[in-house]
Amino acid sequence: MADTKREIERKYEGPPAGGDVPLPDLTDVPGVSGVIDKGVAELDATYYDTADQRLATASLTLRRRTGGDDAGWHLKLPVSEGVRDEIRAPLSDTVPEDLTALVRSRIREAELVPVVRLLSARDIRHLVDASGTLLAEVSVDRVRAERLSGGAGSAEWTEIEVELADDGDPAFLDKVEKKLRKAGIKRSASASKLAKALDDTAPRKPGKAGKAGTTGKVADVSKATTKAAKPEPPDSTPRTAGDHILTYVRAQRDAIVELDPAVRRDVPDSVHRMRVGTRRLRSTFRSYGKILDRTVTDPIGVELKWLAAELGVDRDQEVLTEHLTTALDDLPSDLVTGPVQARLSTWSGARRSGSRQHLIAVLDGKRYLDLLTTLDTLVAGPPLREAASKKPEKVIAKAVRKDFEKVADLVGEALELPPGSERDLAMHDARKKAKRTRYAAEAATPALGGSAADLVKSMKSLQTLLGDHQDSVMVRGALRELATEAHAAGENAFTYGLLYGRAEQRAAAVEAELPGEWEAIEDKGAV
């Protein structure tokens, strides 16, 4: 069973291999009362990746390490600069399935193979406060790297690593760094030992000299290899309409791939965020059909819709249950008659598909992995139409205005209808179109600036208002179902009727607010 540790650390350059590391007196660091020598640990780590280094390209590291007090398998996922989540699994001869699954969106069907072996002599010191509590661990690592695939180079270096203690204040690392910098010790140019090892042991290109401090090898992660793992974005700043839309498409593709491990780990809000990524992509394909050929993107949109539905299997039920629970909690106790809470829990549980395992199976399945590969292919070779080469101010603005006009038509239709199921449906359609227009405006903002950003805010406000109305529709439907079940069981249905009336009042309030809200939005106009 894998467990997770948040790792916050900084790396610093040491002297050339074999040289002494003159660490300053760290007891001078504010808050440090003592420096405890913990001795030297001999570490032996083998790093795994695909043959074309897809994990390294994504700044992920997967290793099997012996020695020290945390022997086992470690997968490190980047969170922000200097911060990574380390997922640990017990020592075994093969890569644990739990960890393989967490990199599935990166490796797809490719095999994980040993790429680098690092042998480190780690001289460890603990910085503690007056009570003996650990503040940070400082280590001096003398490292030897041996290339295991894609070459046969080796390299040696020394580096200093400062890792914050669990639940420590990151500001403490600034204090340590200030002391190190005064001693002439600088931050490492490499983000990790693996990155440096791959750089220093890579095969040398013909006609290029070796890098100082290595064994005559220089960095050469093949451009073709990098593209196979994750297509590189254009080098230039987006200028054409196609450039801008592809930048947005690429960002959503990246978000889906990057959120995959978080969804598998059940990180809060990760499912929702991945679902939003799929919706943004699908909306962009539909809004910008003059830029990206819809004969190519429409089939991809079908797959994105399928993935969004799989991601939302339990989420929609959870949201509905939250609304019902909140509404029930807001009632005075004397207005709750019968086992309402118990029935709500039973009703909700019966409609939960228990889909956690199902969702993981979806993420491991061929259909999902093929979708990711299709998105990579689209980004690498986009199906651009003639309008893609034109200036964004004209093409993108026209697409956004077209979406805005559709929202206007749907809102106008809803306002003309009397209260009832037809108006409910029209307002729901307007909400979906407002969301699509919002995403179109998001994609347009880098090109069009403030007018597009203002439209994003307007559509978000409208989407929220119409979303409140749709929530009321869904809540009322659930309450009718609950009341029917309660009545059949001989229970008092008074409370369900009361909640229904309150939900109906909320819907009426939204409907009353909508004309003014829409008038304000229309006054601002589109881009």
Side-chain angles (χ1 to χ4, degrees):
M1 177 68 74
D3 65 315
T4 303
K5 179 181 184 299
R6 177 62 56 90
E7 180 184 81
I8 303 176
E9 65 179 21
R10 296 180 187 177
K11 296 181 182 296
Y12 301 87
E13 301 281 358
D20 291 331
V21 180
L23 281 177
D25 182 3
L26 297 176
T27 57
D28 290 344
V29 175
V32 175
S33 293
V35 178
I36 303 173
D37 188 343
K38 304 297 289 186
V40 177
E42 300 292 338
L43 308 177
D44 186 345
T46 299
Y47 288 77
Y48 285 70
D49 204 338
T50 60
D52 53 6
Q53 297 177 15
R54 300 181 190 183
L55 299 187
T57 300
S59 300
L60 306 179
T61 61
L62 173 62
R63 73 186 178 202
R64 179 187 187 275
R65 190 168 77 181
T66 58
D69 58 6
D70 64 346
W73 286 90
H74 307 146
L75 171 63
K76 298 193 178 189
L77 306 173
V79 176
S80 58
E81 184 179 359
V83 182
R84 295 184 291 184
D85 278 342
E86 183 177 274
I87 318 297
R88 298 176 176 179
L91 202 61
S92 62
D93 293 334
T94 58
V95 182
E97 284 297 325
D98 287 352
L99 300 190
T100 301
L102 291 176
V103 297
R104 183 79 68 201
S105 65
R106 301 289 185 180
I107 67 173
R108 316 289 164 78
E109 300 300 328
E111 182 184 4
L112 289 168
V113 297
V115 291
V116 167
R117 183 184 184 191
L118 297 184
L119 302 171
S120 304
R122 170 164 289 181
D123 190 357
I124 304 169
R125 297 165 178 80
H126 282 183
L127 308 186
V128 299
D129 63 15
S131 67
T133 300
L134 179 66
L135 299 172
E137 179 177 285
V138 179
S139 63
V140 178
D141 295 344
R142 291 177 171 82
V143 186
R144 176 176 173 79
E146 299 173 355
R147 190 83 171 209
L148 301 178
S149 65
S154 64
E156 295 184 7
W157 70 89
T158 301
E159 70 177 34
I160 299 164
E161 183 178 292
V162 183
E163 181 175 349
L164 190 68
D166 293 346
D167 301 320
D169 182 358
F172 178 72
L173 295 182
D174 295 332
K175 299 175 183 179
V176 177
E177 178 162 315
K178 183 176 181 181
K179 186 67 175 178
L180 294 177
R181 290 179 67 86
K182 284 185 178 179
I185 298 172
K186 299 179 181 179
R187 285 274 197 108
S188 174
S190 298
S192 66
K193 287 183 175 66
L194 175 62
K196 182 169 178 60
L198 290 172
D199 186 38
D200 288 359
T201 65
R204 182 177 59 192
K205 280 187 176 180
K208 288 200 173 184
K211 182 184 292 186
T214 72
T215 57
K217 308 293 181 181
V218 297
D220 180 25
V221 177
S222 158
K223 290 182 180 179
T225 293
T226 302
K227 287 183 179 179
K230 178 177 173 181
E232 286 294 311
D235 293 332
S236 60
T237 300
R239 292 185 175 84
T240 67
D243 290 342
H244 282 280
I245 299 309
L246 284 175
T247 296
Y248 189 76
V249 167
R250 186 180 298 109
Q252 306 318 312
R253 185 280 311 268
D254 290 350
I256 293 171
V257 172
E258 290 165 5
L259 282 165
D260 180 290
V263 171
R264 293 173 186 269
R265 294 164 57 202
D266 204 18
V267 174
D269 203 39
S270 59
V271 170
H272 170 68
R273 290 164 59 203
M274 182 186 275
R275 199 179 183 193
V276 168
T278 66
R279 287 171 169 170
R280 281 176 167 150
L281 264 181
R282 185 163 171 259
S283 292
T284 301
F285 292 156
R286 297 176 69 184
S287 294
Y288 293 105
K290 294 292 185 181
I291 294 173
L292 294 172
D293 188 347
R294 287 193 60 174
T295 63
V296 176
T297 61
D298 277 358
I300 302 174
V302 171
E303 296 303 285
L304 289 167
K305 184 178 181 180
W306 160 78
L307 179 57
E310 294 288 2
L311 291 166
V313 166
D314 276 352
R315 176 58 182 166
D316 292 341
Q317 180 63 37
E318 288 175 1
V319 171
L320 182 55
T321 301
E322 287 172 6
H323 284 305
L324 289 166
T325 301
T326 300
L328 183 60
D329 289 343
D330 287 342
L331 283 181
S333 59
D334 60 340
L335 295 180
V336 179
T337 61
V340 181
Q341 183 61 64
R343 178 159 296 283
L344 174 58
S345 298
T346 302
W347 173 86
S348 177
R351 282 151 186 77
R352 289 288 301 273
S353 63
S355 65
R356 183 72 196 152
Q357 290 183 343
H358 172 74
L359 179 55
I360 298 303
V362 167
L363 298 183
D364 284 336
K366 186 176 186 301
R367 186 174 182 179
Y368 167 70
L369 297 177
D370 284 349
L371 171 58
L372 297 185
T373 299
T374 299
L375 291 174
D376 286 348
T377 301
L378 180 137
V379 170
L384 297 174
R385 300 184 65 189
E386 183 179 351
S389 62
K390 297 180 179 179
K391 292 182 178 180
E393 292 80 5
K394 180 178 180 180
V395 179
I396 292 179
K398 184 177 181 180
V400 175
R401 284 195 296 270
K402 185 177 180 181
D403 277 349
F404 182 80
E405 289 167 2
K406 291 179 180 178
V407 175
D409 289 342
L410 289 170
V411 171
E413 178 185 331
L415 291 175
E416 291 175 359
L417 292 169
S421 59
E422 287 190 33
R423 173 180 271 194
D424 292 343
L425 182 59
M427 292 181 71
H428 183 47
D429 287 342
R431 173 177 176 259
K432 290 188 290 185
K433 188 61 67 176
K435 186 183 298 185
R436 174 173 157 183
T437 305
R438 171 189 168 188
Y439 295 152
E442 283 180 356
T445 297
L448 305 184
S451 61
D454 289 343
L455 184 58
V456 171
K457 294 178 183 178
S458 294
M459 290 298 99
K460 186 175 181 180
S461 176
L462 178 63
Q463 179 187 331
T464 299
L465 184 65
L466 294 174
D468 289 343
H469 186 274
Q470 180 62 16
D471 288 342
S472 170
V473 172
M474 299 303 293
V475 164
R476 281 179 281 160
L479 287 168
R480 283 194 298 268
E481 187 176 339
L482 283 163
T484 300
E485 292 179 1
H487 179 73
E491 297 166 9
N492 191 321
F494 167 79
T495 300
Y496 304 107
L498 180 59
L499 291 173
Y500 186 99
R502 289 190 169 194
E504 198 169 42
Q505 286 179 341
R506 285 196 296 275
V510 170
E511 292 177 18
E513 185 180 348
L514 180 59
E517 174 79 10
W518 179 246
E519 183 179 355
I521 291 173
E522 274 198 311
D523 286 344
K524 293 179 182 178
V527 295

